Amino acid sequence: MPIDEALKAKLAEKVDEGSLTPADIPDYMNLFVQICNENEEVQEEVEGWDRLFQFSIEGSANLWMKIAEGKFSTAGGDATEPDVTLEFDSDTAVGIFSGEIDATQAYMNNELKVIGPLPDAVKFRTLTELVRDELEE
């Protein structure tokens, strides 16, 4: 699925203005998946790395993201047996996705809880940074 350029422009503007909200998270995750499926750097990063992430977002809808054979998919709800669960409130989620909050700092301040292998969460942070770079182009 190609990148939805209208959605990308809308979300890039919101990130730039600091007006991304918890209501934008499902759209953001859909765009995240589109970018990851098209971005060569992301594809290199996830080669041979199949994972299922659960995002438990207090004050917003839960989402999951699957990475399988280099392809990303996402949907609302709860995943069955995720490899990694990230728990945070909606403001922290928005801050991390927009780049206003450093994920490592949020983890150290107990604003982000990681259930599962920490290296996988660190790798996901790298993917988030690559997506943000693409949004800034």
Side-chain angles (χ1 to χ4, degrees), residues 81-119:
E81 298 184 37
D83 297 299
V84 181
T85 299
L86 302 178
E87 293 180 351
F88 35 27
D89 66 30
S90 56
D91 290 338
T92 302
V94 166
I96 289 171
F97 293 140
S98 67
E100 291 178 19
I101 295 176
D102 177 68
T104 304
Q105 201 60 46
Y107 176 77
M108 301 301 267
N109 293 337
N110 291 320
E111 295 165 352
L112 166 62
K113 184 175 178 186
V114 176
I115 301 165
L118 198 54

PDB file of all heavy atoms in Angstrom, residues 81-119:
ATOM      1  N   GLU A  81      -1.076 -12.665  22.517  1.00  0.00           N
ATOM      2  CA  GLU A  81       0.313 -13.010  22.824  1.00  0.00           C
ATOM      3  C   GLU A  81       1.343 -12.104  22.143  1.00  0.00           C
ATOM      4  O   GLU A  81       2.160 -12.567  21.346  1.00  0.00           O
ATOM      5  CB  GLU A  81       0.583 -14.474  22.477  1.00  0.00           C
ATOM      6  CG  GLU A  81      -0.262 -15.439  23.274  1.00  0.00           C
ATOM      7  CD  GLU A  81       0.084 -16.888  22.997  1.00  0.00           C
ATOM      8  OE1 GLU A  81       1.278 -17.201  22.803  1.00  0.00           O
ATOM      9  OE2 GLU A  81      -0.851 -17.706  22.986  1.00  0.00           O
ATOM     10  N   PRO A  82       1.322 -10.796  22.459  1.00  0.00           N
ATOM     11  CA  PRO A  82       2.331  -9.896  21.878  1.00  0.00           C
ATOM     12  C   PRO A  82       3.729 -10.220  22.412  1.00  0.00           C
ATOM     13  O   PRO A  82       3.867 -10.733  23.524  1.00  0.00           O
ATOM     14  CB  PRO A  82       1.881  -8.510  22.339  1.00  0.00           C
ATOM     15  CG  PRO A  82       1.089  -8.765  23.589  1.00  0.00           C
ATOM     16  CD  PRO A  82       0.432 -10.111  23.389  1.00  0.00           C
ATOM     17  N   ASP A  83       4.729  -9.916  21.575  1.00  0.00           N
ATOM     18  CA  ASP A  83       6.120 -10.070  22.015  1.00  0.00           C
ATOM     19  C   ASP A  83       6.492  -8.950  22.980  1.00  0.00           C
ATOM     20  O   ASP A  83       7.270  -9.157  23.919  1.00  0.00           O
ATOM     21  CB  ASP A  83       7.066 -10.024  20.808  1.00  0.00           C
ATOM     22  CG  ASP A  83       6.809 -11.175  19.856  1.00  0.00           C
ATOM     23  OD1 ASP A  83       6.951 -12.337  20.273  1.00  0.00           O
ATOM     24  OD2 ASP A  83       6.452 -10.908  18.686  1.00  0.00           O
ATOM     25  N   VAL A  84       5.979  -7.758  22.710  1.00  0.00           N
ATOM     26  CA  VAL A  84       6.296  -6.575  23.515  1.00  0.00           C
ATOM     27  C   VAL A  84       5.015  -5.765  23.717  1.00  0.00           C
ATOM     28  O   VAL A  84       4.263  -5.549  22.765  1.00  0.00           O
ATOM     29  CB  VAL A  84       7.334  -5.673  22.808  1.00  0.00           C
ATOM     30  CG1 VAL A  84       7.678  -4.463  23.664  1.00  0.00           C
ATOM     31  CG2 VAL A  84       8.593  -6.444  22.473  1.00  0.00           C
ATOM     32  N   THR A  85       4.798  -5.335  24.950  1.00  0.00           N
ATOM     33  CA  THR A  85       3.689  -4.424  25.238  1.00  0.00           C
ATOM     34  C   THR A  85       4.277  -3.122  25.748  1.00  0.00           C
ATOM     35  O   THR A  85       5.139  -3.128  26.633  1.00  0.00           O
ATOM     36  CB  THR A  85       2.729  -5.016  26.292  1.00  0.00           C
ATOM     37  OG1 THR A  85       2.188  -6.240  25.782  1.00  0.00           O
ATOM     38  CG2 THR A  85       1.595  -4.050  26.609  1.00  0.00           C
ATOM     39  N   LEU A  86       3.838  -2.020  25.147  1.00  0.00           N
ATOM     40  CA  LEU A  86       4.228  -0.689  25.604  1.00  0.00           C
ATOM     41  C   LEU A  86       2.998  -0.058  26.252  1.00  0.00           C
ATOM     42  O   LEU A  86       1.960   0.061  25.613  1.00  0.00           O
ATOM     43  CB  LEU A  86       4.715   0.156  24.425  1.00  0.00           C
ATOM     44  CG  LEU A  86       5.888  -0.410  23.625  1.00  0.00           C
ATOM     45  CD1 LEU A  86       6.226   0.510  22.456  1.00  0.00           C
ATOM     46  CD2 LEU A  86       7.102  -0.618  24.505  1.00  0.00           C
ATOM     47  N   GLU A  87       3.129   0.309  27.520  1.00  0.00           N
ATOM     48  CA  GLU A  87       2.023   0.924  28.252  1.00  0.00           C
ATOM     49  C   GLU A  87       2.381   2.367  28.554  1.00  0.00           C
ATOM     50  O   GLU A  87       3.451   2.648  29.107  1.00  0.00           O
ATOM     51  CB  GLU A  87       1.759   0.191  29.571  1.00  0.00           C
ATOM     52  CG  GLU A  87       1.238  -1.211  29.401  1.00  0.00           C
ATOM     53  CD  GLU A  87       0.981  -1.911  30.733  1.00  0.00           C
ATOM     54  OE1 GLU A  87       1.357  -1.369  31.802  1.00  0.00           O
ATOM     55  OE2 GLU A  87       0.408  -3.021  30.704  1.00  0.00           O
ATOM     56  N   PHE A  88       1.478   3.273  28.185  1.00  0.00           N
ATOM     57  CA  PHE A  88       1.667   4.685  28.477  1.00  0.00           C
ATOM     58  C   PHE A  88       0.328   5.393  28.399  1.00  0.00           C
ATOM     59  O   PHE A  88      -0.651   4.832  27.892  1.00  0.00           O
ATOM     60  CB  PHE A  88       2.680   5.365  27.566  1.00  0.00           C
ATOM     61  CG  PHE A  88       2.732   4.904  26.123  1.00  0.00           C
ATOM     62  CD1 PHE A  88       1.649   4.356  25.465  1.00  0.00           C
ATOM     63  CD2 PHE A  88       3.906   5.027  25.408  1.00  0.00           C
ATOM     64  CE1 PHE A  88       1.724   3.949  24.134  1.00  0.00           C
ATOM     65  CE2 PHE A  88       3.996   4.620  24.081  1.00  0.00           C
ATOM     66  CZ  PHE A  88       2.895   4.077  23.447  1.00  0.00           C
ATOM     67  N   ASP A  89       0.280   6.634  28.921  1.00  0.00           N
ATOM     68  CA  ASP A  89      -0.963   7.375  28.763  1.00  0.00           C
ATOM     69  C   ASP A  89      -0.948   8.059  27.400  1.00  0.00           C
ATOM     70  O   ASP A  89       0.079   8.098  26.709  1.00  0.00           O
ATOM     71  CB  ASP A  89      -1.205   8.352  29.925  1.00  0.00           C
ATOM     72  CG  ASP A  89      -0.209   9.496  30.003  1.00  0.00           C
ATOM     73  OD1 ASP A  89       0.331   9.929  28.961  1.00  0.00           O
ATOM     74  OD2 ASP A  89       0.022   9.994  31.121  1.00  0.00           O
ATOM     75  N   SER A  90      -2.105   8.559  26.996  1.00  0.00           N
ATOM     76  CA  SER A  90      -2.238   9.089  25.631  1.00  0.00           C
ATOM     77  C   SER A  90      -1.332  10.294  25.395  1.00  0.00           C
ATOM     78  O   SER A  90      -0.795  10.446  24.296  1.00  0.00           O
ATOM     79  CB  SER A  90      -3.697   9.428  25.330  1.00  0.00           C
ATOM     80  OG  SER A  90      -4.217  10.321  26.286  1.00  0.00           O
ATOM     81  N   ASP A  91      -1.120  11.128  26.410  1.00  0.00           N
ATOM     82  CA  ASP A  91      -0.246  12.292  26.223  1.00  0.00           C
ATOM     83  C   ASP A  91       1.206  11.865  26.006  1.00  0.00           C
ATOM     84  O   ASP A  91       1.913  12.439  25.178  1.00  0.00           O
ATOM     85  CB  ASP A  91      -0.341  13.247  27.419  1.00  0.00           C
ATOM     86  CG  ASP A  91      -1.688  13.954  27.494  1.00  0.00           C
ATOM     87  OD1 ASP A  91      -2.375  14.056  26.454  1.00  0.00           O
ATOM     88  OD2 ASP A  91      -2.061  14.397  28.597  1.00  0.00           O
ATOM     89  N   THR A  92       1.643  10.854  26.755  1.00  0.00           N
ATOM     90  CA  THR A  92       3.003  10.346  26.576  1.00  0.00           C
ATOM     91  C   THR A  92       3.144   9.703  25.199  1.00  0.00           C
ATOM     92  O   THR A  92       4.150   9.911  24.507  1.00  0.00           O
ATOM     93  CB  THR A  92       3.356   9.337  27.688  1.00  0.00           C
ATOM     94  OG1 THR A  92       3.216   9.991  28.960  1.00  0.00           O
ATOM     95  CG2 THR A  92       4.773   8.820  27.541  1.00  0.00           C
ATOM     96  N   ALA A  93       2.127   8.946  24.765  1.00  0.00           N
ATOM     97  CA  ALA A  93       2.162   8.320  23.441  1.00  0.00           C
ATOM     98  C   ALA A  93       2.307   9.382  22.356  1.00  0.00           C
ATOM     99  O   ALA A  93       3.168   9.271  21.477  1.00  0.00           O
ATOM    100  CB  ALA A  93       0.893   7.496  23.209  1.00  0.00           C
ATOM    101  N   VAL A  94       1.479  10.430  22.435  1.00  0.00           N
ATOM    102  CA  VAL A  94       1.543  11.519  21.450  1.00  0.00           C
ATOM    103  C   VAL A  94       2.924  12.174  21.488  1.00  0.00           C
ATOM    104  O   VAL A  94       3.522  12.444  20.447  1.00  0.00           O
ATOM    105  CB  VAL A  94       0.427  12.556  21.704  1.00  0.00           C
ATOM    106  CG1 VAL A  94       0.683  13.840  20.942  1.00  0.00           C
ATOM    107  CG2 VAL A  94      -0.926  11.971  21.334  1.00  0.00           C
ATOM    108  N   GLY A  95       3.453  12.407  22.679  1.00  0.00           N
ATOM    109  CA  GLY A  95       4.762  13.046  22.822  1.00  0.00           C
ATOM    110  C   GLY A  95       5.884  12.219  22.229  1.00  0.00           C
ATOM    111  O   GLY A  95       6.773  12.738  21.553  1.00  0.00           O
ATOM    112  N   ILE A  96       5.839  10.901  22.446  1.00  0.00           N
ATOM    113  CA  ILE A  96       6.876  10.021  21.903  1.00  0.00           C
ATOM    114  C   ILE A  96       6.771   9.966  20.382  1.00  0.00           C
ATOM    115  O   ILE A  96       7.763  10.108  19.672  1.00  0.00           O
ATOM    116  CB  ILE A  96       6.791   8.612  22.529  1.00  0.00           C
ATOM    117  CG1 ILE A  96       7.254   8.672  23.996  1.00  0.00           C
ATOM    118  CG2 ILE A  96       7.627   7.606  21.737  1.00  0.00           C
ATOM    119  CD1 ILE A  96       7.029   7.403  24.780  1.00  0.00           C
ATOM    120  N   PHE A  97       5.557   9.778  19.856  1.00  0.00           N
ATOM    121  CA  PHE A  97       5.394   9.672  18.405  1.00  0.00           C
ATOM    122  C   PHE A  97       5.741  10.976  17.693  1.00  0.00           C
ATOM    123  O   PHE A  97       6.268  10.963  16.589  1.00  0.00           O
ATOM    124  CB  PHE A  97       3.974   9.226  18.034  1.00  0.00           C
ATOM    125  CG  PHE A  97       3.658   7.820  18.462  1.00  0.00           C
ATOM    126  CD1 PHE A  97       2.428   7.504  18.983  1.00  0.00           C
ATOM    127  CD2 PHE A  97       4.595   6.805  18.347  1.00  0.00           C
ATOM    128  CE1 PHE A  97       2.122   6.201  19.377  1.00  0.00           C
ATOM    129  CE2 PHE A  97       4.314   5.497  18.738  1.00  0.00           C
ATOM    130  CZ  PHE A  97       3.061   5.203  19.257  1.00  0.00           C
ATOM    131  N   SER A  98       5.476  12.104  18.340  1.00  0.00           N
ATOM    132  CA  SER A  98       5.752  13.400  17.704  1.00  0.00           C
ATOM    133  C   SER A  98       7.194  13.855  17.918  1.00  0.00           C
ATOM    134  O   SER A  98       7.652  14.798  17.281  1.00  0.00           O
ATOM    135  CB  SER A  98       4.799  14.468  18.241  1.00  0.00           C
ATOM    136  OG  SER A  98       5.072  14.733  19.607  1.00  0.00           O
ATOM    137  N   GLY A  99       7.910  13.206  18.848  1.00  0.00           N
ATOM    138  CA  GLY A  99       9.291  13.577  19.115  1.00  0.00           C
ATOM    139  C   GLY A  99       9.448  14.611  20.215  1.00  0.00           C
ATOM    140  O   GLY A  99      10.553  15.031  20.528  1.00  0.00           O
ATOM    141  N   GLU A 100       8.341  15.004  20.839  1.00  0.00           N
ATOM    142  CA  GLU A 100       8.422  15.987  21.921  1.00  0.00           C
ATOM    143  C   GLU A 100       8.907  15.350  23.224  1.00  0.00           C
ATOM    144  O   GLU A 100       9.416  16.036  24.098  1.00  0.00           O
ATOM    145  CB  GLU A 100       7.056  16.645  22.141  1.00  0.00           C
ATOM    146  CG  GLU A 100       6.650  17.546  20.991  1.00  0.00           C
ATOM    147  CD  GLU A 100       5.275  18.160  21.192  1.00  0.00           C
ATOM    148  OE1 GLU A 100       4.774  18.195  22.330  1.00  0.00           O
ATOM    149  OE2 GLU A 100       4.715  18.611  20.188  1.00  0.00           O
ATOM    150  N   ILE A 101       8.710  14.044  23.351  1.00  0.00           N
ATOM    151  CA  ILE A 101       9.136  13.315  24.546  1.00  0.00           C
ATOM    152  C   ILE A 101      10.116  12.233  24.106  1.00  0.00           C
ATOM    153  O   ILE A 101       9.847  11.487  23.164  1.00  0.00           O
ATOM    154  CB  ILE A 101       7.936  12.671  25.274  1.00  0.00           C
ATOM    155  CG1 ILE A 101       6.991  13.748  25.835  1.00  0.00           C
ATOM    156  CG2 ILE A 101       8.415  11.748  26.394  1.00  0.00           C
ATOM    157  CD1 ILE A 101       5.732  13.188  26.477  1.00  0.00           C
ATOM    158  N   ASP A 102      11.252  12.156  24.785  1.00  0.00           N
ATOM    159  CA  ASP A 102      12.241  11.122  24.512  1.00  0.00           C
ATOM    160  C   ASP A 102      11.773   9.817  25.153  1.00  0.00           C
ATOM    161  O   ASP A 102      11.482   9.776  26.351  1.00  0.00           O
ATOM    162  CB  ASP A 102      13.597  11.549  25.075  1.00  0.00           C
ATOM    163  CG  ASP A 102      14.647  10.487  24.878  1.00  0.00           C
ATOM    164  OD1 ASP A 102      15.019  10.236  23.717  1.00  0.00           O
ATOM    165  OD2 ASP A 102      15.076   9.894  25.894  1.00  0.00           O
ATOM    166  N   ALA A 103      11.662   8.756  24.363  1.00  0.00           N
ATOM    167  CA  ALA A 103      11.161   7.470  24.848  1.00  0.00           C
ATOM    168  C   ALA A 103      12.013   6.929  25.995  1.00  0.00           C
ATOM    169  O   ALA A 103      11.476   6.382  26.966  1.00  0.00           O
ATOM    170  CB  ALA A 103      11.091   6.469  23.714  1.00  0.00           C
ATOM    171  N   THR A 104      13.314   7.070  25.896  1.00  0.00           N
ATOM    172  CA  THR A 104      14.199   6.582  26.963  1.00  0.00           C
ATOM    173  C   THR A 104      13.930   7.326  28.262  1.00  0.00           C
ATOM    174  O   THR A 104      13.840   6.721  29.329  1.00  0.00           O
ATOM    175  CB  THR A 104      15.678   6.729  26.546  1.00  0.00           C
ATOM    176  OG1 THR A 104      15.873   6.044  25.311  1.00  0.00           O
ATOM    177  CG2 THR A 104      16.607   6.173  27.599  1.00  0.00           C
ATOM    178  N   GLN A 105      13.769   8.641  28.160  1.00  0.00           N
ATOM    179  CA  GLN A 105      13.473   9.452  29.343  1.00  0.00           C
ATOM    180  C   GLN A 105      12.116   9.066  29.930  1.00  0.00           C
ATOM    181  O   GLN A 105      11.966   8.960  31.148  1.00  0.00           O
ATOM    182  CB  GLN A 105      13.484  10.946  28.970  1.00  0.00           C
ATOM    183  CG  GLN A 105      13.697  11.878  30.142  1.00  0.00           C
ATOM    184  CD  GLN A 105      15.017  11.652  30.851  1.00  0.00           C
ATOM    185  OE1 GLN A 105      16.059  11.518  30.235  1.00  0.00           O
ATOM    186  NE2 GLN A 105      14.977  11.590  32.172  1.00  0.00           N
ATOM    187  N   ALA A 106      11.133   8.841  29.067  1.00  0.00           N
ATOM    188  CA  ALA A 106       9.800   8.433  29.531  1.00  0.00           C
ATOM    189  C   ALA A 106       9.888   7.094  30.272  1.00  0.00           C
ATOM    190  O   ALA A 106       9.249   6.906  31.317  1.00  0.00           O
ATOM    191  CB  ALA A 106       8.839   8.326  28.352  1.00  0.00           C
ATOM    192  N   TYR A 107      10.697   6.181  29.752  1.00  0.00           N
ATOM    193  CA  TYR A 107      10.896   4.881  30.400  1.00  0.00           C
ATOM    194  C   TYR A 107      11.559   5.070  31.771  1.00  0.00           C
ATOM    195  O   TYR A 107      11.112   4.488  32.760  1.00  0.00           O
ATOM    196  CB  TYR A 107      11.742   3.983  29.496  1.00  0.00           C
ATOM    197  CG  TYR A 107      12.085   2.653  30.106  1.00  0.00           C
ATOM    198  CD1 TYR A 107      11.144   1.628  30.165  1.00  0.00           C
ATOM    199  CD2 TYR A 107      13.357   2.416  30.624  1.00  0.00           C
ATOM    200  CE1 TYR A 107      11.456   0.399  30.729  1.00  0.00           C
ATOM    201  CE2 TYR A 107      13.680   1.194  31.187  1.00  0.00           C
ATOM    202  CZ  TYR A 107      12.724   0.193  31.237  1.00  0.00           C
ATOM    203  OH  TYR A 107      13.045  -1.014  31.801  1.00  0.00           O
ATOM    204  N   MET A 108      12.585   5.895  31.814  1.00  0.00           N
ATOM    205  CA  MET A 108      13.305   6.141  33.080  1.00  0.00           C
ATOM    206  C   MET A 108      12.404   6.816  34.118  1.00  0.00           C
ATOM    207  O   MET A 108      12.571   6.604  35.314  1.00  0.00           O
ATOM    208  CB  MET A 108      14.555   6.996  32.840  1.00  0.00           C
ATOM    209  CG  MET A 108      15.544   6.377  31.877  1.00  0.00           C
ATOM    210  SD  MET A 108      16.146   4.788  32.395  1.00  0.00           S
ATOM    211  CE  MET A 108      17.615   5.269  33.246  1.00  0.00           C
ATOM    212  N   ASN A 109      11.454   7.621  33.649  1.00  0.00           N
ATOM    213  CA  ASN A 109      10.537   8.336  34.548  1.00  0.00           C
ATOM    214  C   ASN A 109       9.257   7.540  34.838  1.00  0.00           C
ATOM    215  O   ASN A 109       8.297   8.086  35.386  1.00  0.00           O
ATOM    216  CB  ASN A 109      10.151   9.701  33.943  1.00  0.00           C
ATOM    217  CG  ASN A 109      11.318  10.654  33.882  1.00  0.00           C
ATOM    218  OD1 ASN A 109      12.284  10.518  34.615  1.00  0.00           O
ATOM    219  ND2 ASN A 109      11.238  11.615  32.969  1.00  0.00           N
ATOM    220  N   ASN A 110       9.238   6.273  34.435  1.00  0.00           N
ATOM    221  CA  ASN A 110       8.068   5.407  34.605  1.00  0.00           C
ATOM    222  C   ASN A 110       6.812   5.920  33.920  1.00  0.00           C
ATOM    223  O   ASN A 110       5.696   5.614  34.322  1.00  0.00           O
ATOM    224  CB  ASN A 110       7.795   5.141  36.093  1.00  0.00           C
ATOM    225  CG  ASN A 110       8.858   4.287  36.731  1.00  0.00           C
ATOM    226  OD1 ASN A 110       9.341   3.342  36.119  1.00  0.00           O
ATOM    227  ND2 ASN A 110       9.247   4.638  37.940  1.00  0.00           N
ATOM    228  N   GLU A 111       6.982   6.710  32.862  1.00  0.00           N
ATOM    229  CA  GLU A 111       5.842   7.174  32.071  1.00  0.00           C
ATOM    230  C   GLU A 111       5.582   6.201  30.918  1.00  0.00           C
ATOM    231  O   GLU A 111       4.530   6.249  30.283  1.00  0.00           O
ATOM    232  CB  GLU A 111       6.119   8.569  31.510  1.00  0.00           C
ATOM    233  CG  GLU A 111       6.241   9.621  32.587  1.00  0.00           C
ATOM    234  CD  GLU A 111       6.875  10.917  32.098  1.00  0.00           C
ATOM    235  OE1 GLU A 111       7.373  10.962  30.950  1.00  0.00           O
ATOM    236  OE2 GLU A 111       6.875  11.881  32.867  1.00  0.00           O
ATOM    237  N   LEU A 112       6.555   5.334  30.655  1.00  0.00           N
ATOM    238  CA  LEU A 112       6.454   4.296  29.630  1.00  0.00           C
ATOM    239  C   LEU A 112       6.874   2.989  30.283  1.00  0.00           C
ATOM    240  O   LEU A 112       7.973   2.885  30.826  1.00  0.00           O
ATOM    241  CB  LEU A 112       7.379   4.616  28.441  1.00  0.00           C
ATOM    242  CG  LEU A 112       7.639   3.497  27.435  1.00  0.00           C
ATOM    243  CD1 LEU A 112       6.358   3.049  26.757  1.00  0.00           C
ATOM    244  CD2 LEU A 112       8.658   3.952  26.391  1.00  0.00           C
ATOM    245  N   LYS A 113       5.979   2.013  30.246  1.00  0.00           N
ATOM    246  CA  LYS A 113       6.289   0.695  30.802  1.00  0.00           C
ATOM    247  C   LYS A 113       6.467  -0.275  29.636  1.00  0.00           C
ATOM    248  O   LYS A 113       5.653  -0.296  28.714  1.00  0.00           O
ATOM    249  CB  LYS A 113       5.148   0.233  31.710  1.00  0.00           C
ATOM    250  CG  LYS A 113       5.426  -1.069  32.410  1.00  0.00           C
ATOM    251  CD  LYS A 113       4.310  -1.417  33.377  1.00  0.00           C
ATOM    252  CE  LYS A 113       4.595  -2.761  34.028  1.00  0.00           C
ATOM    253  NZ  LYS A 113       3.485  -3.206  34.866  1.00  0.00           N
ATOM    254  N   VAL A 114       7.542  -1.041  29.683  1.00  0.00           N
ATOM    255  CA  VAL A 114       7.838  -2.028  28.642  1.00  0.00           C
ATOM    256  C   VAL A 114       7.695  -3.418  29.244  1.00  0.00           C
ATOM    257  O   VAL A 114       8.350  -3.742  30.227  1.00  0.00           O
ATOM    258  CB  VAL A 114       9.276  -1.847  28.087  1.00  0.00           C
ATOM    259  CG1 VAL A 114       9.593  -2.935  27.074  1.00  0.00           C
ATOM    260  CG2 VAL A 114       9.451  -0.469  27.488  1.00  0.00           C
ATOM    261  N   ILE A 115       6.808  -4.217  28.657  1.00  0.00           N
ATOM    262  CA  ILE A 115       6.641  -5.606  29.069  1.00  0.00           C
ATOM    263  C   ILE A 115       7.162  -6.444  27.908  1.00  0.00           C
ATOM    264  O   ILE A 115       6.599  -6.420  26.811  1.00  0.00           O
ATOM    265  CB  ILE A 115       5.166  -5.925  29.361  1.00  0.00           C
ATOM    266  CG1 ILE A 115       4.644  -5.004  30.476  1.00  0.00           C
ATOM    267  CG2 ILE A 115       4.998  -7.393  29.747  1.00  0.00           C
ATOM    268  CD1 ILE A 115       3.145  -4.989  30.600  1.00  0.00           C
ATOM    269  N   GLY A 116       8.250  -7.146  28.144  1.00  0.00           N
ATOM    270  CA  GLY A 116       8.903  -7.913  27.083  1.00  0.00           C
ATOM    271  C   GLY A 116      10.359  -7.473  26.976  1.00  0.00           C
ATOM    272  O   GLY A 116      10.848  -6.690  27.791  1.00  0.00           O
ATOM    273  N   PRO A 117      11.070  -7.968  25.967  1.00  0.00           N
ATOM    274  CA  PRO A 117      12.499  -7.672  25.821  1.00  0.00           C
ATOM    275  C   PRO A 117      12.767  -6.176  25.559  1.00  0.00           C
ATOM    276  O   PRO A 117      12.261  -5.620  24.585  1.00  0.00           O
ATOM    277  CB  PRO A 117      12.933  -8.514  24.623  1.00  0.00           C
ATOM    278  CG  PRO A 117      11.841  -9.513  24.397  1.00  0.00           C
ATOM    279  CD  PRO A 117      10.590  -8.900  24.941  1.00  0.00           C
ATOM    280  N   LEU A 118      13.558  -5.577  26.429  1.00  0.00           N
ATOM    281  CA  LEU A 118      13.891  -4.158  26.285  1.00  0.00           C
ATOM    282  C   LEU A 118      14.588  -3.855  24.946  1.00  0.00           C
ATOM    283  O   LEU A 118      14.291  -2.828  24.330  1.00  0.00           O
ATOM    284  CB  LEU A 118      14.739  -3.695  27.475  1.00  0.00           C
ATOM    285  CG  LEU A 118      14.823  -2.194  27.700  1.00  0.00           C
ATOM    286  CD1 LEU A 118      13.438  -1.555  27.798  1.00  0.00           C
ATOM    287  CD2 LEU A 118      15.622  -1.897  28.948  1.00  0.00           C
ATOM    288  N   PRO A 119      15.495  -4.725  24.441  1.00  0.00           N
ATOM    289  CA  PRO A 119      16.114  -4.430  23.140  1.00  0.00           C
ATOM    290  C   PRO A 119      15.084  -4.264  22.011  1.00  0.00           C
ATOM    291  O   PRO A 119      15.294  -3.490  21.083  1.00  0.00           O
ATOM    292  CB  PRO A 119      17.039  -5.628  22.899  1.00  0.00           C
ATOM    293  CG  PRO A 119      17.361  -6.125  24.264  1.00  0.00           C
ATOM    294  CD  PRO A 119      16.102  -5.911  25.070  1.00  0.00           C
TER     295      PRO A 119
END
